[in-house]
Amino acid sequence: MDSLNPIQQGTTLLIQFKGEVTLNTAPDLRTKIESFVERERIEHLVADMQEVTFIDSSGVGMLVALKTKMASKSKSLFILNPSAQVRSTLGLVHLSNFFQILEGDEGILDILPD
């Protein structure tokens, strides 16, 4: 993973993933994101995956775990602009419909608090 750029607006946290999300990076990413979500009382987590060049099963597992944890607390996780590689991987493991996917910048505006 090249970088993790969190941007908070109200109770929404936008994480801009760049590079690879793999076995080598996913556990640390998950820990950092969960810590930030708890500390800052985040209600909506938006994973911008437009610049993800590769995601493996560990990366997908991290997303599933984050979504499940958020949902257990009546919070939400969205995937914003998934790259073709992310889209393909989610399709291969039949999780395309498991996640709420937002396209373009307009989708994110609908969930941001006023």
Side-chain angles (χ1 to χ4, degrees), residues 66-77:
L66 287 170
K67 182 183 185 318
T68 302
K69 187 165 189 170
M70 295 291 286
S72 75
K73 297 179 179 188
S74 299
K75 298 178 180 188
S76 52
L77 175 125

Coordinates of all heavy atoms in Angstrom, one line a residue, residues 66-77:
L66 N -14.3 -4.9 8.0 CA -14.6 -3.5 8.3 C -16.1 -3.3 8.1 O -16.8 -2.7 9.0 CB -13.8 -2.6 7.4 CG -12.4 -2.4 7.8 CD1 -11.7 -1.6 6.7 CD2 -12.2 -1.7 9.1
K67 N -16.7 -3.8 7.0 CA -18.1 -3.6 6.8 C -18.9 -4.3 7.9 O -19.9 -3.8 8.4 CB -18.5 -4.2 5.4 CG -20.0 -4.0 5.1 CD -20.4 -4.5 3.8 CE -21.8 -4.3 3.4 NZ -22.9 -4.4 4.4
T68 N -18.6 -5.5 8.2 CA -19.3 -6.3 9.3 C -19.2 -5.6 10.6 O -20.2 -5.4 11.3 CB -18.7 -7.7 9.4 OG1 -18.8 -8.3 8.1 CG2 -19.4 -8.5 10.4
K69 N -18.0 -5.1 11.0 CA -17.9 -4.3 12.2 C -18.7 -3.1 12.2 O -19.4 -2.7 13.2 CB -16.4 -4.1 12.5 CG -16.2 -3.5 13.9 CD -14.8 -3.5 14.3 CE -14.6 -3.1 15.7 NZ -13.3 -3.3 16.2
M70 N -18.7 -2.3 11.1 CA -19.5 -1.1 11.0 C -20.9 -1.4 11.1 O -21.7 -0.8 11.9 CB -19.2 -0.4 9.7 CG -17.7 0.2 9.6 SD -17.3 1.5 10.6 CE -18.2 2.9 9.9
A71 N -21.4 -2.4 10.4 CA -22.8 -2.8 10.4 C -23.3 -3.2 11.8 O -24.4 -3.0 12.2 CB -23.1 -3.9 9.4
S72 N -22.4 -3.9 12.6 CA -22.8 -4.4 13.9 C -23.1 -3.2 14.8 O -23.7 -3.4 15.9 CB -21.7 -5.3 14.5 OG -20.6 -4.5 14.9
K73 N -22.6 -2.0 14.5 CA -22.8 -0.8 15.3 C -23.7 0.2 14.6 O -23.7 1.4 14.9 CB -21.4 -0.2 15.6 CG -20.5 -1.1 16.4 CD -19.2 -0.4 16.6 CE -18.3 -1.4 17.4 NZ -17.1 -0.8 17.9
S74 N -24.5 -0.3 13.6 CA -25.4 0.5 12.8 C -24.7 1.6 12.1 O -25.2 2.7 12.0 CB -26.5 1.0 13.7 OG -27.3 0.0 14.3
K75 N -23.5 1.3 11.6 CA -22.7 2.3 10.9 C -22.6 1.7 9.5 O -23.0 0.6 9.2 CB -21.4 2.5 11.5 CG -21.5 3.1 12.9 CD -20.2 3.3 13.6 CE -20.4 3.9 15.0 NZ -19.1 4.3 15.6
S76 N -22.0 2.5 8.5 CA -22.0 2.0 7.2 C -20.6 2.1 6.5 O -19.8 3.0 6.9 CB -23.0 2.8 6.3 OG -22.8 4.2 6.5
L77 N -20.4 1.2 5.6 CA -19.1 1.3 4.8 C -19.5 1.3 3.3 O -20.4 0.5 2.9 CB -18.3 0.0 5.0 CG -17.0 0.0 4.2 CD1 -15.8 -0.1 5.0 CD2 -17.1 -1.2 3.2

